[in-house]
Amino acid sequence: MGFDINEPEQRRRLQTALDAARINTGNLWLYYFSIGGSVGEYEVEAYLQGMLSIPELERDLLAMAANELLNNHSGGPRAPFSDELPGNDSRDPEAHDDDPSPS
């Protein structure tokens, strides 16, 4: 599986949020797994180091887990979801409604 265009940025911003709040990979993975994540702890570690690509859904679950853990810390950066990254308007069905062709 190759990296999608937003994966490196999403990973970088997740790592920044984790570092700022001093959340380690083990705690992130345990919470992520408890909310339905299916990637193993070693794979999450490899993903955070940029050595492994994981599916978008799993990246968004990691962001959700991180942000919920970050709720215990005031301020600081948040981990973005994939649809919050620049250039990801392909998921918005209204983004292409300006097509002049008849339906």
Side-chain angles (χ1 to χ4, degrees):
M1 173 185 305
F3 292 111
D4 76 29
I5 193 165
N6 289 320
E7 188 169 359
E9 178 66 11
Q10 188 175 14
R11 180 182 52 253
R12 184 191 66 76
R13 291 173 60 186
L14 170 62
Q15 189 65 59
T16 298
L18 294 173
D19 290 346
R22 295 186 176 167
I23 296 171
N24 67 36
T25 304
N27 289 337
L28 172 67
W29 178 81
L30 187 59
Y31 197 89
Y32 153 82
F33 187 74
S34 76
I35 61 172
S38 64
V39 175
E41 185 175 0
Y42 291 120
E43 287 81 6
V44 169
E45 181 69 40
Y47 164 72
L48 290 172
Q49 292 180 17
M51 298 175 5
L52 181 71
S53 178
I54 62 173
E56 185 176 287
L57 173 63
E58 300 304 323
R59 296 193 317 262
D60 285 346
L61 281 171
L62 282 170
M64 177 184 289
N67 289 334
E68 290 184 14
L69 290 169
L70 289 167
N71 284 338
N72 298 328
H73 303 274
S74 59
R78 308 290 289 171
F81 294 100
S82 57
D83 64 352
E84 297 173 332
L85 297 167
N88 203 7
D89 64 352
S90 63
R91 301 193 196 303
D92 183 1
E94 296 180 16
H96 303 288
D97 280 350
D98 58 350
D99 185 5
S101 61
S103 299

